[in-house]
Amino acid sequence: MTHQMFSVEGRVAVVTGASSGIGRAMASALAERGAKVVGVARREADLDAWAVECGERAFVVADVGDLAGLPQVAKQCAEPFGAPEIVIPAAGINPRKHADEVSLEEWEATIGLNLSHPFLFIRALIPAMREKGWGRVINIASLQTYRAFINGVAYGASKGGIAQLTRAMAEAWSPDGIMCNAIAPGFFHTALAAAVFADKELAEHHAKMTAVGRNGVVEDLIGPMLFLASPASDYVTGQVISVDGGYTAK
């Protein structure tokens, strides 16, 4: 019974940003546990390398920062296995610039990819989930959903918006059986956080800021993700779950 509660076997999932980092780890974990997974990213070679790993996998090469093209991308994602029931919009960017230096183009690109793409992409997939009466949305929030960090104005604004977007999605779509939640990772050694981990002292500082005394590894995200992707979360919606080693608890 417990195994079935946390099972994603046979479910169709789509993950953007699946070519690297958190997105790839989540996409792989779903496929390894029996889900049929469509990965979306810009880099075809990386997606191709991911797709040959175990499990049922397909991919769509697309730039999800092109907001006008998202309905077509959503349509392509339904072609390999049918309409997705689990959606994780994990693609994101962080320009890491001071508020005085962020250009209009950088601001719009960050808000577009980190905040607008999850809304517009997920909305395009909602009708099929509504028809089934079951769906799971897992947005990617951040420590900066709650806290300000140096050179984080654009990224922080986008991730602060993710918390409210998640709540609003839950209000709009959970009556149709679609649970909408978010995971807020702490500092994880991924390409997006490469600048942090390139500075050993800075990385150690953030490790000491956690309650457990270390920074995260992508495997730490898999358990919470599977909970939110499975029937175990049937009565959980509109929530942001921090997976940060207790960083926000201190």
Coordinates of all heavy atoms in Angstrom, one line a residue, residues 24-112:
R24 N 17.4 17.7 -14.7 CA 17.8 16.4 -15.2 C 17.6 15.3 -14.1 O 17.2 14.2 -14.3 CB 19.2 16.4 -15.6 CG 19.8 15.1 -16.2 CD 21.0 15.2 -16.9 NE 21.5 13.9 -17.4 CZ 22.3 13.8 -18.5 NH1 22.7 14.8 -19.2 NH2 22.7 12.6 -18.9
A25 N 18.0 15.7 -12.8 CA 17.9 14.7 -11.7 C 16.5 14.3 -11.5 O 16.2 13.1 -11.3 CB 18.5 15.4 -10.5
M26 N 15.6 15.3 -11.6 CA 14.1 14.9 -11.3 C 13.6 14.1 -12.5 O 12.8 13.1 -12.3 CB 13.3 16.2 -11.1 CG 13.6 16.9 -9.8 SD 12.6 18.4 -9.6 CE 13.0 18.8 -7.9
A27 N 13.9 14.5 -13.7 CA 13.5 13.7 -14.9 C 14.0 12.3 -14.8 O 13.2 11.3 -15.1 CB 13.9 14.4 -16.2
S28 N 15.2 12.1 -14.5 CA 15.8 10.8 -14.4 C 15.1 9.9 -13.3 O 14.8 8.8 -13.5 CB 17.3 10.8 -14.2 OG 18.0 11.4 -15.3
A29 N 14.9 10.6 -12.1 CA 14.3 9.8 -11.0 C 12.9 9.4 -11.4 O 12.5 8.3 -11.0 CB 14.3 10.7 -9.8
L30 N 12.1 10.2 -12.1 CA 10.8 9.8 -12.5 C 10.8 8.6 -13.5 O 10.1 7.6 -13.3 CB 10.1 11.0 -13.1 CG 9.6 12.1 -12.2 CD1 9.3 13.3 -12.9 CD2 8.5 11.6 -11.3
A31 N 11.8 8.7 -14.4 CA 11.9 7.6 -15.4 C 12.3 6.3 -14.8 O 11.8 5.2 -15.1 CB 12.8 8.0 -16.5
E32 N 13.3 6.4 -13.8 CA 13.8 5.2 -13.2 C 12.7 4.5 -12.3 O 12.8 3.3 -12.0 CB 15.0 5.6 -12.3 CG 16.2 5.9 -13.1 CD 17.2 6.7 -12.3 OE1 17.0 6.9 -11.1 OE2 18.2 7.2 -13.0
R33 N 11.7 5.3 -12.0 CA 10.6 4.7 -11.2 C 9.3 4.4 -12.0 O 8.2 4.3 -11.4 CB 10.3 5.6 -10.0 CG 11.4 5.6 -8.9 CD 11.4 6.8 -8.1 NE 12.5 6.7 -7.1 CZ 13.8 7.0 -7.3 NH1 14.2 7.4 -8.5 NH2 14.7 6.9 -6.3
G34 N 9.5 4.3 -13.3 CA 8.4 3.8 -14.1 C 7.5 4.9 -14.8 O 6.6 4.5 -15.5
A35 N 7.8 6.1 -14.6 CA 7.1 7.2 -15.3 C 7.6 7.2 -16.7 O 8.7 6.9 -17.1 CB 7.2 8.5 -14.6
K36 N 6.7 7.7 -17.6 CA 7.1 8.0 -19.0 C 7.4 9.5 -19.1 O 6.5 10.3 -18.9 CB 6.0 7.6 -20.0 CG 5.5 6.2 -19.8 CD 4.3 5.9 -20.6 CE 3.8 4.4 -20.4 NZ 2.6 4.1 -21.2
V37 N 8.7 9.8 -19.3 CA 9.2 11.2 -19.1 C 9.6 11.8 -20.4 O 10.3 11.3 -21.2 CB 10.3 11.2 -18.1 CG1 10.8 12.6 -17.9 CG2 10.0 10.5 -16.9
V38 N 9.1 13.0 -20.6 CA 9.5 13.9 -21.8 C 10.4 15.0 -21.2 O 9.9 15.8 -20.3 CB 8.3 14.5 -22.5 CG1 8.8 15.4 -23.7 CG2 7.4 13.4 -23.0
G39 N 11.6 15.1 -21.6 CA 12.5 16.1 -21.2 C 12.5 17.2 -22.2 O 12.5 17.0 -23.4
V40 N 12.6 18.5 -21.8 CA 12.6 19.6 -22.6 C 13.8 20.5 -22.3 O 14.0 20.8 -21.1 CB 11.3 20.5 -22.5 CG1 11.3 21.7 -23.5 CG2 10.1 19.6 -22.7
A41 N 14.6 20.9 -23.3 CA 15.7 21.8 -23.1 C 16.2 22.3 -24.5 O 15.7 21.8 -25.5 CB 16.8 21.1 -22.3
R42 N 17.1 23.2 -24.5 CA 17.7 23.7 -25.7 C 18.8 22.9 -26.3 O 19.0 22.8 -27.5 CB 18.2 25.1 -25.5 CG 17.2 26.2 -25.2 CD 17.8 27.5 -24.9 NE 18.7 27.4 -23.8 CZ 19.6 28.4 -23.5 NH1 19.8 29.5 -24.3 NH2 20.4 28.3 -22.4
R43 N 19.5 22.2 -25.4 CA 20.7 21.5 -25.9 C 20.4 20.0 -26.3 O 20.2 19.1 -25.4 CB 21.8 21.5 -24.8 CG 22.2 22.9 -24.5 CD 23.4 22.9 -23.5 NE 23.2 22.3 -22.2 CZ 22.7 23.0 -21.2 NH1 22.4 24.3 -21.3 NH2 22.5 22.4 -20.0
E44 N 20.3 19.8 -27.6 CA 19.9 18.5 -28.1 C 20.9 17.4 -27.7 O 20.5 16.3 -27.4 CB 19.7 18.5 -29.6 CG 19.2 17.2 -30.2 CD 18.9 17.3 -31.7 OE1 19.1 18.4 -32.2 OE2 18.4 16.3 -32.2
A45 N 22.2 17.7 -27.8 CA 23.2 16.6 -27.4 C 23.0 16.2 -26.0 O 23.1 15.0 -25.7 CB 24.6 17.2 -27.7
D46 N 22.8 17.1 -25.1 CA 22.6 16.7 -23.7 C 21.4 15.9 -23.5 O 21.3 15.0 -22.7 CB 22.7 18.0 -22.8 CG 24.0 18.6 -22.7 OD1 25.0 17.9 -23.0 OD2 24.1 19.8 -22.4
L47 N 20.3 16.3 -24.1 CA 19.0 15.6 -24.0 C 19.2 14.2 -24.6 O 18.6 13.2 -24.1 CB 17.9 16.4 -24.8 CG 17.3 17.6 -24.1 CD1 16.4 18.3 -25.0 CD2 16.6 17.2 -22.8
D48 N 19.9 14.1 -25.7 CA 20.1 12.8 -26.3 C 20.9 11.9 -25.4 O 20.5 10.7 -25.3 CB 20.9 13.0 -27.6 CG 20.9 11.7 -28.5 OD1 19.8 11.2 -28.8 OD2 22.0 11.3 -28.8
A49 N 21.9 12.4 -24.7 CA 22.6 11.6 -23.7 C 21.7 11.2 -22.6 O 21.9 10.0 -22.1 CB 23.8 12.4 -23.2
W50 N 20.9 12.1 -22.1 CA 19.9 11.7 -21.0 C 18.9 10.7 -21.5 O 18.6 9.7 -20.7 CB 19.2 13.0 -20.6 CG 18.0 12.7 -19.7 CD1 18.0 12.4 -18.4 CD2 16.6 12.7 -20.1 NE1 16.8 12.2 -17.9 CE2 15.9 12.4 -19.0 CE3 16.0 12.9 -21.3 CZ2 14.5 12.3 -19.0 CZ3 14.6 12.8 -21.4 CH2 13.9 12.5 -20.2
A51 N 18.5 10.8 -22.7 CA 17.4 9.9 -23.1 C 17.8 8.4 -23.3 O 16.9 7.5 -23.2 CB 16.8 10.4 -24.5
V52 N 19.1 8.1 -23.4 CA 19.5 6.7 -23.6 C 19.7 6.0 -22.2 O 20.0 4.8 -22.2 CB 20.9 6.7 -24.4 CG1 20.7 7.2 -25.8 CG2 22.0 7.4 -23.6
E53 N 19.5 6.7 -21.1 CA 19.6 6.1 -19.8 C 18.3 5.3 -19.6 O 17.4 5.2 -20.5 CB 19.7 7.2 -18.7 CG 21.0 8.0 -18.8 CD 21.0 9.2 -17.9 OE1 20.2 9.2 -17.0 OE2 22.0 10.0 -18.0
C54 N 18.2 4.6 -18.5 CA 17.1 3.6 -18.3 C 15.7 4.3 -18.2 O 15.7 5.5 -17.9 CB 17.3 2.8 -17.1 SG 17.3 3.7 -15.5
G55 N 14.7 3.5 -18.5 CA 13.3 4.1 -18.4 C 12.8 4.6 -19.7 O 13.5 4.7 -20.7
E56 N 11.5 4.8 -19.8 CA 10.9 5.3 -21.0 C 11.1 6.9 -21.0 O 10.5 7.6 -20.2 CB 9.4 5.0 -21.0 CG 9.1 3.5 -21.2 CD 7.6 3.2 -21.4 OE1 7.2 3.6 -22.5 OE2 7.0 2.7 -20.5
R57 N 11.8 7.3 -22.1 CA 12.2 8.7 -22.1 C 12.0 9.2 -23.6 O 12.3 8.4 -24.5 CB 13.6 9.0 -21.7 CG 13.9 8.4 -20.3 CD 15.4 8.6 -20.0 NE 15.7 7.9 -18.7 CZ 16.5 8.3 -17.8 NH1 17.1 9.5 -17.9 NH2 16.7 7.6 -16.7
A58 N 11.6 10.4 -23.7 CA 11.6 11.1 -25.0 C 12.0 12.6 -24.7 O 12.1 13.0 -23.6 CB 10.3 11.0 -25.7
F59 N 12.3 13.3 -25.8 CA 12.7 14.7 -25.5 C 12.2 15.6 -26.6 O 11.9 15.2 -27.7 CB 14.2 14.9 -25.3 CG 15.1 14.5 -26.5 CD1 15.3 15.5 -27.5 CD2 15.7 13.3 -26.5 CE1 16.1 15.2 -28.6 CE2 16.6 13.0 -27.6 CZ 16.7 13.9 -28.6
V60 N 12.1 16.9 -26.2 CA 11.7 17.9 -27.2 C 12.7 19.0 -27.0 O 13.0 19.5 -25.9 CB 10.3 18.5 -26.8 CG1 10.0 19.8 -27.7 CG2 9.2 17.5 -27.0
V61 N 13.3 19.4 -28.1 CA 14.3 20.5 -28.2 C 13.6 21.8 -28.3 O 12.9 22.0 -29.4 CB 15.4 20.3 -29.3 CG1 16.4 21.4 -29.3 CG2 16.1 18.9 -29.1
A62 N 13.7 22.7 -27.3 CA 12.9 23.9 -27.4 C 13.5 24.9 -26.4 O 14.1 24.5 -25.4 CB 11.4 23.7 -27.1
D63 N 13.3 26.2 -26.7 CA 13.7 27.3 -25.8 C 12.4 27.7 -25.1 O 11.6 28.4 -25.7 CB 14.3 28.4 -26.6 CG 14.7 29.6 -25.7 OD1 14.5 29.5 -24.5 OD2 15.1 30.6 -26.3
V64 N 12.2 27.3 -23.9 CA 11.0 27.7 -23.2 C 11.0 29.1 -22.7 O 10.0 29.6 -22.2 CB 10.7 26.7 -22.0 CG1 10.5 25.3 -22.5 CG2 11.9 26.7 -21.0
G65 N 12.1 29.8 -23.0 CA 12.1 31.3 -22.8 C 11.4 32.0 -23.9 O 11.0 33.2 -23.8
D66 N 11.1 31.3 -25.0 CA 10.3 31.8 -26.1 C 8.8 31.6 -25.7 O 8.2 30.6 -26.0 CB 10.6 31.1 -27.4 CG 9.7 31.6 -28.5 OD1 9.0 32.6 -28.4 OD2 9.8 30.9 -29.6
L67 N 8.2 32.6 -25.0 CA 6.9 32.4 -24.4 C 5.8 32.2 -25.4 O 4.9 31.4 -25.2 CB 6.6 33.6 -23.5 CG 7.6 33.9 -22.4 CD1 7.2 35.1 -21.6 CD2 7.8 32.7 -21.5
A68 N 5.9 32.8 -26.5 CA 4.9 32.7 -27.6 C 4.8 31.2 -28.1 O 3.8 30.8 -28.6 CB 5.1 33.7 -28.7
G69 N 6.0 30.5 -28.0 CA 6.0 29.2 -28.6 C 5.6 28.1 -27.6 O 5.6 26.9 -28.0
L70 N 5.3 28.4 -26.4 CA 5.0 27.4 -25.4 C 3.8 26.5 -25.7 O 3.8 25.3 -25.4 CB 4.9 28.1 -24.0 CG 6.2 28.6 -23.4 CD1 6.0 29.3 -22.1 CD2 7.2 27.4 -23.2
P71 N 2.7 27.1 -26.2 CA 1.6 26.2 -26.5 C 2.0 25.1 -27.5 O 1.6 23.9 -27.4 CB 0.5 27.1 -27.1 CG 0.8 28.4 -26.5 CD 2.3 28.5 -26.4
Q72 N 2.8 25.4 -28.5 CA 3.3 24.4 -29.4 C 4.2 23.4 -28.8 O 4.2 22.2 -29.0 CB 4.0 25.1 -30.6 CG 4.6 24.1 -31.6 CD 3.5 23.2 -32.3 OE1 2.4 23.6 -32.4 NE2 3.9 22.0 -32.7
V73 N 5.1 23.9 -27.8 CA 6.0 22.9 -27.1 C 5.1 22.0 -26.3 O 5.4 20.8 -26.2 CB 6.9 23.7 -26.2 CG1 7.8 22.8 -25.3 CG2 7.9 24.6 -27.0
A74 N 4.1 22.5 -25.6 CA 3.2 21.6 -24.8 C 2.5 20.6 -25.7 O 2.4 19.4 -25.3 CB 2.1 22.5 -24.2
K75 N 2.2 21.0 -26.9 CA 1.6 20.0 -27.8 C 2.6 18.9 -28.2 O 2.2 17.7 -28.3 CB 1.1 20.7 -29.1 CG 0.4 19.9 -30.1 CD -0.1 20.7 -31.3 CE -0.8 19.8 -32.3 NZ -1.3 20.6 -33.5
Q76 N 3.8 19.3 -28.5 CA 4.9 18.3 -28.8 C 5.1 17.4 -27.7 O 5.4 16.2 -27.9 CB 6.1 19.1 -29.2 CG 6.1 19.8 -30.5 CD 7.4 20.6 -30.7 OE1 7.6 21.7 -30.3 NE2 8.4 19.9 -31.4
C77 N 5.0 17.9 -26.4 CA 5.3 17.0 -25.3 C 4.3 15.9 -25.1 O 4.5 14.9 -24.4 CB 5.3 17.9 -24.0 SG 6.8 19.0 -23.9
A78 N 3.1 16.1 -25.7 CA 2.0 15.1 -25.5 C 2.1 14.0 -26.6 O 1.4 13.0 -26.6 CB 0.6 15.8 -25.6
E79 N 3.0 14.2 -27.6 CA 3.1 13.3 -28.7 C 3.7 11.9 -28.4 O 3.2 10.9 -28.8 CB 3.8 13.9 -29.9 CG 3.0 15.1 -30.5 CD 3.8 15.8 -31.6 OE1 5.0 15.5 -31.8 OE2 3.2 16.8 -32.1
P80 N 4.8 11.8 -27.6 CA 5.4 10.5 -27.4 C 4.6 9.5 -26.6 O 4.5 8.4 -26.9 CB 6.7 10.9 -26.6 CG 7.0 12.3 -26.9 CD 5.6 12.9 -27.0
F81 N 4.0 10.0 -25.5 CA 3.3 9.1 -24.5 C 1.9 9.5 -24.2 O 1.2 8.8 -23.4 CB 4.1 9.0 -23.2 CG 5.5 8.7 -23.4 CD1 6.5 9.6 -23.0 CD2 6.0 7.5 -23.9 CE1 7.9 9.3 -23.1 CE2 7.3 7.2 -24.1 CZ 8.3 8.1 -23.7
G82 N 1.4 10.6 -24.8 CA 0.1 11.1 -24.4 C 0.2 12.3 -23.5 O 1.3 12.8 -23.2
A83 N -0.9 12.8 -23.1 CA -0.9 14.1 -22.3 C -0.2 14.0 -21.0 O -0.5 13.0 -20.2 CB -2.3 14.6 -22.1
P84 N 0.8 14.9 -20.7 CA 1.4 14.8 -19.4 C 0.5 15.0 -18.2 O -0.5 15.8 -18.3 CB 2.5 15.9 -19.4 CG 2.7 16.1 -20.9 CD 1.4 15.9 -21.5
E85 N 0.8 14.3 -17.1 CA 0.0 14.4 -15.9 C 0.8 15.0 -14.8 O 0.3 15.5 -13.8 CB -0.5 13.0 -15.4 CG -1.2 12.2 -16.5 CD -1.2 10.7 -16.2 OE1 -0.1 10.1 -16.5 OE2 -2.2 10.2 -15.8
I86 N 2.1 14.9 -14.9 CA 3.1 15.5 -13.9 C 3.9 16.6 -14.7 O 4.5 16.2 -15.7 CB 4.0 14.5 -13.3 CG1 3.2 13.4 -12.6 CG2 5.0 15.1 -12.4 CD1 4.0 12.1 -12.3
V87 N 4.0 17.8 -14.2 CA 4.7 18.8 -14.9 C 5.6 19.5 -13.9 O 5.2 20.0 -12.9 CB 3.7 19.9 -15.5 CG1 4.5 20.9 -16.4 CG2 2.6 19.3 -16.3
I88 N 6.9 19.6 -14.3 CA 7.9 20.2 -13.5 C 8.7 21.2 -14.4 O 9.6 20.8 -15.2 CB 8.9 19.2 -12.9 CG1 8.2 18.1 -12.1 CG2 10.0 19.9 -12.0 CD1 9.1 17.0 -11.5
P89 N 8.4 22.5 -14.3 CA 9.1 23.5 -15.1 C 10.3 23.9 -14.4 O 10.4 24.9 -13.6 CB 8.0 24.6 -15.2 CG 7.2 24.5 -13.9 CD 7.3 23.1 -13.5
A90 N 11.4 23.2 -14.6 CA 12.7 23.4 -13.9 C 13.7 24.3 -14.6 O 14.7 24.7 -14.0 CB 13.3 22.1 -13.6
A91 N 13.4 24.7 -15.8 CA 14.4 25.6 -16.5 C 14.4 26.9 -15.8 O 13.4 27.5 -15.4 CB 13.9 25.8 -18.0
G92 N 15.6 27.5 -15.7 CA 15.8 28.8 -15.1 C 17.1 29.4 -15.3 O 18.0 28.8 -15.8
I93 N 17.2 30.7 -15.1 CA 18.5 31.5 -15.2 C 18.6 32.4 -14.0 O 17.6 32.8 -13.3 CB 18.6 32.3 -16.5 CG1 17.4 33.2 -16.6 CG2 18.7 31.4 -17.7 CD1 17.5 34.2 -17.8
N94 N 19.9 32.8 -13.7 CA 20.2 33.7 -12.7 C 21.3 34.6 -13.2 O 22.5 34.2 -13.2 CB 20.6 33.0 -11.4 CG 20.8 33.9 -10.2 OD1 20.8 35.1 -10.4 ND2 21.0 33.3 -9.0
P95 N 21.0 35.9 -13.5 CA 22.1 36.7 -14.1 C 23.1 37.2 -13.0 O 24.2 37.6 -13.4 CB 21.3 37.9 -14.6 CG 20.0 37.9 -13.9 CD 19.7 36.5 -13.6
R96 N 22.8 37.1 -11.7 CA 23.7 37.4 -10.7 C 24.4 38.8 -10.9 O 25.6 39.0 -11.0 CB 24.8 36.4 -10.5 CG 24.3 35.0 -10.2 CD 25.4 34.0 -9.9 NE 24.8 32.7 -9.7 CZ 24.3 32.3 -8.5 NH1 24.3 33.1 -7.5 NH2 23.8 31.1 -8.4
K97 N 23.5 39.8 -10.9 CA 24.0 41.2 -11.1 C 23.3 42.1 -10.1 O 22.2 41.9 -9.6 CB 23.7 41.7 -12.5 CG 24.6 41.2 -13.6 CD 24.4 41.9 -14.9 CE 25.4 41.5 -15.9 NZ 25.2 42.2 -17.2
H98 N 24.0 43.1 -9.6 CA 23.5 44.1 -8.7 C 22.3 44.8 -9.3 O 22.2 45.0 -10.5 CB 24.6 45.1 -8.3 CG 24.2 46.0 -7.2 ND1 23.5 47.2 -7.3 CD2 24.4 45.9 -5.8 CE1 23.3 47.7 -6.2 NE2 23.8 47.0 -5.2
A99 N 21.4 45.2 -8.4 CA 20.2 45.9 -8.9 C 20.5 47.1 -9.8 O 19.7 47.4 -10.7 CB 19.3 46.4 -7.7
D100 N 21.6 47.8 -9.5 CA 22.0 49.0 -10.4 C 22.4 48.6 -11.8 O 22.5 49.4 -12.7 CB 23.1 49.7 -9.7 CG 22.7 50.4 -8.4 OD1 21.5 50.5 -8.1 OD2 23.6 50.7 -7.6
E101 N 22.8 47.3 -12.0 CA 23.4 46.9 -13.2 C 22.6 46.0 -14.1 O 22.9 45.7 -15.2 CB 24.7 46.2 -12.9 CG 25.7 47.0 -12.2 CD 26.9 46.3 -11.7 OE1 26.9 45.0 -11.8 OE2 27.9 46.9 -11.2
V102 N 21.4 45.5 -13.6 CA 20.6 44.6 -14.4 C 19.9 45.4 -15.5 O 19.3 46.4 -15.3 CB 19.5 44.0 -13.5 CG1 18.5 43.1 -14.4 CG2 20.1 43.1 -12.4
S103 N 20.2 44.9 -16.8 CA 19.6 45.5 -17.9 C 18.1 45.1 -18.1 O 17.7 44.1 -17.5 CB 20.4 45.1 -19.2 OG 20.2 43.8 -19.5
L104 N 17.4 45.9 -18.9 CA 16.0 45.6 -19.2 C 15.9 44.2 -19.8 O 15.0 43.4 -19.5 CB 15.4 46.6 -20.2 CG 14.0 46.3 -20.7 CD1 13.0 46.3 -19.5 CD2 13.6 47.4 -21.7
E105 N 16.9 43.9 -20.7 CA 16.8 42.6 -21.4 C 17.1 41.4 -20.4 O 16.4 40.4 -20.4 CB 17.9 42.5 -22.5 CG 17.6 43.4 -23.7 CD 17.9 44.9 -23.4 OE1 18.6 45.2 -22.4 OE2 17.5 45.7 -24.2
E106 N 18.0 41.6 -19.4 CA 18.2 40.6 -18.4 C 17.0 40.4 -17.5 O 16.7 39.3 -17.1 CB 19.5 40.9 -17.6 CG 20.8 40.8 -18.4 CD 22.0 41.4 -17.8 OE1 21.8 42.4 -17.0 OE2 23.1 41.0 -18.1
W107 N 16.4 41.5 -17.1 CA 15.3 41.5 -16.2 C 14.1 40.7 -16.9 O 13.5 39.8 -16.4 CB 14.8 42.9 -15.9 CG 13.5 42.9 -15.1 CD1 12.3 43.0 -15.6 CD2 13.4 42.8 -13.7 NE1 11.3 43.0 -14.6 CE2 12.0 42.8 -13.4 CE3 14.3 42.7 -12.6 CZ2 11.5 42.8 -12.1 CZ3 13.8 42.6 -11.3 CH2 12.4 42.6 -11.1
E108 N 13.8 41.1 -18.2 CA 12.7 40.4 -18.9 C 13.0 39.0 -19.1 O 12.1 38.1 -19.0 CB 12.5 41.2 -20.2 CG 11.9 42.6 -20.0 CD 11.6 43.3 -21.3 OE1 12.2 42.9 -22.3 OE2 10.8 44.2 -21.3
A109 N 14.3 38.6 -19.4 CA 14.6 37.2 -19.7 C 14.5 36.4 -18.4 O 14.0 35.3 -18.5 CB 16.1 37.1 -20.2
T110 N 14.9 37.0 -17.3 CA 14.8 36.2 -16.0 C 13.4 36.0 -15.6 O 13.0 34.9 -15.2 CB 15.6 37.0 -14.9 OG1 16.9 37.2 -15.4 CG2 15.6 36.2 -13.6
I111 N 12.6 37.1 -15.6 CA 11.2 37.0 -15.2 C 10.5 36.0 -16.2 O 9.6 35.2 -15.9 CB 10.5 38.3 -15.2 CG1 11.2 39.2 -14.1 CG2 9.0 38.2 -14.9 CD1 11.1 38.7 -12.7
G112 N 10.8 36.2 -17.5 CA 10.1 35.3 -18.5 C 10.4 33.9 -18.3 O 9.5 33.1 -18.3

